Amino acid sequence: MRHTYPITVAGLKRDLPICKVSDELYIGAFVVFGDAELTVACARELLKLVPADSYDYMLTAEAKGIPLIHEMARQSGAKKYILLRKGAKVYMPDPLHVEDQSITTAGTQKLYMGRDDADLIRGKRVLLVDDVISTGGSMQAMEALVNLAGGSVTGRIAVLAEGGAQNRNDIKYLAPLPMFNADGTVKG
């Protein structure tokens, strides 16, 4: 029997499948891919969390942040946003990179930013965007790349804050998401 967790985010109800991360940890899988209604609603509500004049660029890491930040840019009229990649691409001149540890990815991964994007954000204010913040590892890696490029992080937003991330005062988010036990009950 597959357990789900009912959640309302950005005014929309969804049932998140509860997925195993380890024997002791299960999470509610929040995926915006393919859910255009949810992506549009979350982007609208995230834009309300931060003043438009508090940042010059929005930045996210692939992959689940892509539809979200794209829709945020479309709704806000932003002409450019920054996307960090999980692998260096041939079109990325002289890329910068940092290592990242995420609970949904096995092992250590790297995040890359092309020198062209790094030059663009040097001396600029950057808003970090993510779908779910849990341990904060991905957010920390994004911030490290912004710092390497000479930019400054002026805000951190996410659709959901999972587990202990709900207690952070440096992140704004739309809804909390608990962590779970194997039987689908909320972890205490």
Side-chain angles (χ1 to χ4, degrees):
M1 175 181 193
R2 185 161 183 166
H3 299 286
T4 60
Y5 178 74
I7 191 167
T8 299
V9 61
L12 300 173
K13 294 180 181 180
R14 296 295 186 267
D15 287 320
L16 306 184
I18 297 176
C19 300
K20 180 179 181 176
V21 173
S22 69
D23 287 340
E24 301 82 36
L25 179 63
Y26 288 71
I27 61 171
F30 178 76
V31 181
V32 295
F33 287 137
D35 193 334
E37 179 186 38
L38 184 61
T39 301
V40 169
C42 288
R44 179 187 63 241
E45 297 306 312
L46 284 171
L47 287 167
K48 292 177 184 178
L49 294 180
V50 290
D53 63 356
S54 68
Y55 59 92
D56 301 304
Y57 293 101
M58 294 180 283
L59 177 144
T60 196
E62 69 177 353
K64 293 190 306 179
I66 295 172
L68 190 60
I69 200 167
H70 183 84
E71 180 60 22
M72 289 174 68
R74 190 192 69 75
Q75 288 182 26
S76 69
K79 305 242 184 285
K80 170 83 175 158
Y81 57 86
I82 309 299
L83 174 63
L84 304 180
R85 303 299 305 264
K86 291 183 180 175
K89 304 298 179 187
V90 295
Y91 59 78
M92 298 173 106
D94 189 25
L96 304 173
H97 77 274
V98 296
E99 290 190 354
D100 172 26
Q101 191 76 38
S102 169
I103 68 167
T104 56
T105 303
T108 301
Q109 64 184 2
K110 292 183 180 179
L111 287 179
Y112 293 84
M113 177 191 305
R115 180 66 59 185
D116 52 345
D117 283 338
D119 290 345
L120 190 64
I121 66 171
R122 184 177 303 113
K124 301 294 184 184
R125 301 166 302 157
V126 179
L127 173 66
L128 304 182
V129 179
D130 209 348
D131 61 331
V132 179
I133 298 175
S134 185
T135 63
S138 297
M139 189 70 63
Q140 189 173 14
M142 287 190 282
E143 187 158 357
L145 268 175
V146 169
N147 291 335
L148 273 174
S152 62
V153 172
T154 57
R156 296 162 197 83
I157 60 174
V159 176
L160 302 174
E162 186 173 54
Q166 298 168 33
N167 302 323
R168 290 181 54 174
N169 59 8
D170 63 327
I171 298 168
K172 294 181 180 177
Y173 58 92
L174 299 180
L177 179 63
M179 293 182 166
F180 303 91
N181 297 304
D183 65 359
T185 59
V186 172
K187 229 177 202 342

